[in-house]
Amino acid sequence: MTEQTDAAEGTERRVRVVLVDDHRMFRAGVQAEIGRTEETGVEVVGEAADVDQAVTVITATRPEVVLLDVHLPGGGGVEVLRRCAGLAAAAERPVRFLALSVSDAAEDVIGVIRGGARGYVTKTITGADLVDSIFRVQEGDAVFSPRLAGFVLDAFASTDAPPVDEDLDRLTQREREVLRLIARGYAYKEIAKQLFISVKTVESHVSAVLRKLQLSNRHELTRWATARRLV
Amino acid sequence: MPVATARPPEAEEPAARRLYRSAEGRWLGGVARGLAGHLGLPVIWVRLVFLGLFMADGLGALLYAVFWIAVPLGVGGRSAEPKPVFETAPDGRRRLRKPDKGQLFALVALLIGAVVFVANIDLGGPANRYVWPVLLTGAGVVLVWRQADNARRAQWTGDGRRRGLLQLARGLAGVALVGMGLTVFVVVRGSAAQLGNVLTAALAVIAGVALLAGPWLVRMTQDLSEERLMRIRAQERAEVAAHVHDSVLHTLTLIQRNADDAGEVRRLARAQERELRNWLYRPEGTGKEEDEEPTMLADAVKRAAAEVEDKHGVPLEVVVVGDCPLDEKLTAQMQAAREAMVNAAKYGGEGGPVQVYAEVEGRTVFVSVRDRGPGFDPDAVPEDRMGVRESIVGRMQRNGGTARLRSVPGGGTEVELEMERADG
């Protein structure tokens, strides 16, 4: 995924980030990894350890990207997303959320994505990839880890069996192909080459999937989760 | 040696020191069996003595009842050892457990005794008209008491669940017998006309007792259940602590010791992370099926990846979509996939994590293993190298599947395996 980083732009790009995680050590680690603003272009403007703090800090600093832990005291990442929904939907300089979690349990991941996060990465991600993901989210793109793609495929695979009036909720063949390639570990550029489409098209497919996931029938997703004994 | 001399009495003590009613092989309360064990006599003797005493104006029954009430049911000592059917203790004593022949004999003796007893009773006689109610009541009491014993035993052994209904029925039967006996007693004693009054009075007394003792009983049960809850919580915490101690702490210690060996540290951390994750997020919370062969595809893929990861110290990212039971063809596919993972870990592990993707879609099972290593030219592989050709491609073809290999020098390698499921 490092291919995405455009060396030419280099230091021109700047992004203001808030870190939300209840582990101080982890925040310090991430800060050390991505916080060298001159090199990475990432400027950490605030930190928070629980839901209330997060809402306060995000409202006060209006960052472009929030790195959001899924498990937080006070209601979890989903609660932060709910209370910051207005900021995320703002027409001018919207706040975008990227879930960063140690949990790769499907219900956590699907939960924050449905709550409005623009992407999801696990904490084992490398610093370079994380910086790259942050910029992608800032540009309005969705960030799908292979594992997230797998969960989404799973969710839609079991829900599209009786699609009568749910056509909006379904994935197109192309979107499914794109997801599959992401799940197999391909970078966007590689997917574009594989499917003979442009990287922009790949990105728009991914964004469409994300939108469908956020809009998709709540009932069916709940059923999916229940069937897997996730809730 | 002092230890050697001290041992035999120590072994005897739990049985001889205290009198228990025997929970094993008992007929009623286990009194005779317990006494036999305590006195070192054959149980049949004790039973016969009780029978003889019973003839003496029911003294035996009274004695038996007193023992039953006063002596606790044994679990500890020898009375609870169920296995040996006929055994002699080190000092020549007969073991508690008797052969069936002895039991049969005792049963016959008891029957004869009962017949004699019944024959002795002058059924029509005025003095004996209380005998039947007393017998009925006695039988009911025996049933209920025995029931209470069983309930306690079920707590120890945990076997009470499936026989719950039977136990309830027995308890109810006991209560009914007692009620019947008392009613008959009243009927025989006075006239039937007073029965209504007596019943009303009895009910009033019972209601009064319930009102008085009720709140106290309720509070006691609440306290009890609260205490039980606390105990369960403590147990859970202990289990978590034990698990963290066994796995996480040990791994951290190993990591400290191997701090210089980055590869080893990474391997340990990955293995521990995976194990802990399984333990935390698995719905059932059972990490115990580790030893069994996996029966589902998703399990098999994850297991294979975990083993390769541990062995080669290269992280494998596994994504599985859908799941299905393994059949013969899929097992072959899993073996091929495993081979592909090993290859990827060995030759392509430097380029980052190996991506493993498995998907069940309808009847087709698709597995892809992808690394970002240096790659190679498949046509340049010598004829005698059997790894890819036989273990992966050949195996898939023999089982009716397909294998595709894509490798770009410098761009990594991807193996795609596709197989139809045997059943729908």
Side-chain angles (χ1 to χ4, degrees):
Chain A
M1 282 170 221
T2 38
E3 298 92 309
Q4 283 298 112
T5 323
D6 201 349
E9 274 179 343
T11 51
E12 283 176 34
R13 309 190 299 173
R14 275 295 163 93
V15 58
R16 299 168 70 243
V17 173
V18 164
L19 280 179
V20 181
D21 194 298
D22 54 332
H23 290 104
R24 205 165 50 82
M25 293 268 283
F26 183 76
R27 290 203 306 270
V30 172
Q31 164 83 312
E33 188 102 7
I34 67 170
R36 300 179 308 273
T37 315
E38 304 78 48
E39 286 172 50
T40 59
V42 175
E43 186 189 350
V44 179
V45 294
E47 292 185 14
D50 62 33
V51 170
D52 293 333
Q53 266 184 44
V55 174
T56 315
V57 171
I58 292 167
T59 318
T61 56
R62 285 301 289 270
E64 285 146 303
V65 176
V66 176
L67 280 183
L68 184 63
D69 190 14
V70 175
H71 290 284
L72 275 183
V78 178
E79 179 67 14
V80 177
L81 284 162
R82 202 180 60 75
R83 281 161 62 175
C84 293
L87 294 176
E92 228 170 280
R93 291 186 56 217
V95 178
R96 300 223 157 93
F97 291 84
L98 175 60
L100 175 64
S101 172
V102 73
S103 158
D104 54 10
E107 82 273 24
D108 289 341
V109 178
I110 296 282
V112 286
I113 296 295
R114 290 188 52 82
R118 306 286 300 181
Y120 157 84
V121 291
T122 49
K123 285 183 175 174
T124 49
I125 193 171
T126 62
D129 282 349
L130 182 56
V131 169
D132 187 49
S133 304
I134 289 171
F135 277 110
R136 262 207 255 154
V137 167
Q138 181 211 10
E139 284 151 19
D141 194 10
V143 174
F144 271 60
S145 68
R147 197 174 279 272
L148 176 56
F151 289 149
V152 174
L153 278 172
D154 226 6
F156 280 98
S158 53
T159 54
D160 69 353
V164 191
D165 54 344
E166 309 282 353
D167 279 340
L168 254 179
D169 280 355
R170 296 178 63 202
L171 299 182
T172 65
Q173 195 54 39
R174 225 11 181 317
E175 287 162 357
R176 195 175 287 270
E177 274 173 67
V178 169
L179 273 189
R180 225 173 247 148
L181 288 171
I182 293 176
R184 284 161 67 175
Y186 282 72
Y188 284 15
K189 223 158 101 184
E190 293 167 318
I191 296 172
K193 213 157 75 182
Q194 180 96 6
L195 298 180
F196 304 107
I197 53 181
S198 73
V199 175
K200 271 271 161 274
T201 315
V202 174
E203 284 170 3
S204 70
H205 281 310
V206 170
S207 295
V209 170
L210 189 74
R211 201 175 53 245
K212 286 182 183 180
L213 187 59
Q214 284 163 359
L215 297 178
S216 67
N217 190 316
R218 188 175 292 271
H219 168 69
E220 294 203 336
L221 272 176
T222 310
R223 208 179 55 198
W224 166 76
T226 316
R228 281 163 182 72
R229 313 188 52 175
L230 296 172
V231 287
Chain B
M1 259 166 71
V3 180
T5 48
R7 183 149 294 176
E10 198 184 350
E12 280 316 305
E13 226 173 344
R17 191 184 53 203
R18 276 194 69 177
L19 175 59
Y20 281 112
R21 286 187 287 119
S22 166
E24 292 296 330
R26 64 209 177 114
W27 290 359
L28 285 176
V31 171
R33 217 161 244 286
L35 268 180
H38 186 63
L39 302 171
L41 296 171
V43 64
I44 189 73
W45 292 15
V46 183
R47 283 195 174 131
L48 284 177
V49 167
F50 269 118
L51 192 64
L53 285 174
F54 183 57
M55 292 306 168
D57 286 337
L59 182 60
L62 198 63
L63 212 61
Y64 196 98
V66 169
F67 270 117
W68 195 344
I69 293 169
V71 178
L73 193 63
V75 264
R78 51 168 34 191
S79 55
E81 287 169 20
K83 288 293 162 291
V85 172
F86 191 88
E87 209 185 7
T88 322
D91 55 349
R93 278 183 189 174
R94 196 73 78 81
R95 274 283 178 184
L96 287 185
R97 197 134 176 104
K98 295 277 295 172
D100 285 339
K101 215 201 284 180
Q103 288 211 340
L104 263 180
F105 177 68
L107 191 64
V108 169
L110 276 183
L111 267 178
I112 291 171
V115 168
V116 170
F117 173 72
V118 169
N120 265 347
I121 297 170
D122 184 1
L123 282 177
N128 283 324
R129 63 182 181 188
Y130 296 129
V131 166
W132 284 112
V134 167
L135 272 184
L136 270 178
T137 314
V141 168
V142 163
L143 257 180
V144 172
W145 270 78
R146 166 120 203 200
Q147 193 56 46
D149 275 356
N150 277 351
R152 273 182 69 184
R153 231 184 118 211
Q155 273 193 342
W156 301 329
T157 56
D159 69 341
R161 206 181 312 148
R162 58 205 136 98
R163 286 185 295 178
L165 213 66
L166 181 68
Q167 292 194 347
L168 188 69
R170 269 161 64 173
L172 284 180
V175 171
L177 274 178
V178 172
M180 221 153 78
L182 290 177
T183 313
V184 171
F185 189 74
V186 169
V187 171
V188 168
R189 201 170 166 275
S191 62
Q194 280 171 327
L195 185 61
N197 286 344
V198 171
L199 274 182
T200 320
L203 277 179
V205 168
I206 290 174
V209 169
L211 274 178
L212 285 175
W216 177 74
L217 270 177
V218 166
R219 219 182 35 233
M220 204 164 77
T221 355
Q222 278 172 350
D223 284 356
L224 210 67
S225 63
E226 193 177 336
E227 191 210 302
R228 192 174 295 165
L229 201 71
M230 301 279 273
R231 207 169 49 225
I232 290 171
R233 250 182 230 152
Q235 255 170 20
E236 244 165 33
R237 199 174 307 144
E239 199 191 323
V240 171
H243 190 270
V244 169
H245 172 263
D246 288 351
S247 53
V248 182
L249 278 187
H250 281 217
T251 310
L252 287 178
T253 316
L254 277 176
I255 285 177
Q256 282 180 34
R257 220 171 278 155
N258 294 312
D260 304 328
D261 184 351
E264 179 69 4
V265 167
R266 210 173 300 136
R267 192 187 68 76
L268 283 169
R270 295 277 313 183
Q272 187 52 55
E273 184 209 337
R274 189 176 52 244
E275 208 241 322
L276 197 59
R277 202 182 278 290
N278 275 346
W279 192 72
L280 284 175
Y281 296 122
R282 180 153 299 181
E284 250 77 6
T286 54
K288 281 170 193 155
E289 71 233 57
E290 293 291 325
D291 309 320
E292 301 162 16
E293 283 293 303
T295 56
M296 299 297 283
L297 179 95
D299 267 356
V301 174
K302 285 175 191 157
R303 187 82 55 90
E307 282 167 17
V308 172
E309 190 171 279
D310 281 347
K311 209 161 156 198
H312 298 276
V314 172
L316 276 81
E317 276 184 9
V318 184
V319 175
V320 184
V321 174
D323 201 359
C324 69
L326 278 181
D327 56 39
E328 215 170 286
K329 293 165 87 179
L330 296 186
T331 309
Q333 189 184 18
M334 284 305 104
Q335 286 163 347
R338 193 198 158 91
E339 191 64 27
M341 291 180 213
V342 171
N343 280 341
K346 272 207 279 201
Y347 304 117
E350 288 83 40
V354 173
Q355 307 277 353
V356 179
Y357 174 71
E359 181 179 12
V360 181
E361 199 189 27
R363 295 175 46 81
T364 315
V365 176
F366 173 84
V367 178
S368 126
V369 178
R370 176 187 159 86
D371 67 63
R372 295 179 166 280
F376 65 97
D377 182 2
D379 297 328
V381 176
E383 284 295 320
D384 58 335
R385 293 294 297 272
M386 304 300 272
V388 171
R389 201 161 283 131
E390 273 310 299
S391 299
I392 300 176
V393 182
R395 184 179 270 144
M396 289 302 285
Q397 279 167 359
R398 276 197 299 279
N399 288 279
T402 55
R404 269 194 313 275
L405 193 80
R406 247 204 321 250
S407 185
V408 187
T413 307
E414 177 161 24
V415 179
E416 297 178 352
L417 308 170
E418 215 170 322
M419 184 74 86
E420 291 276 308
R421 285 160 65 187
D423 56 334

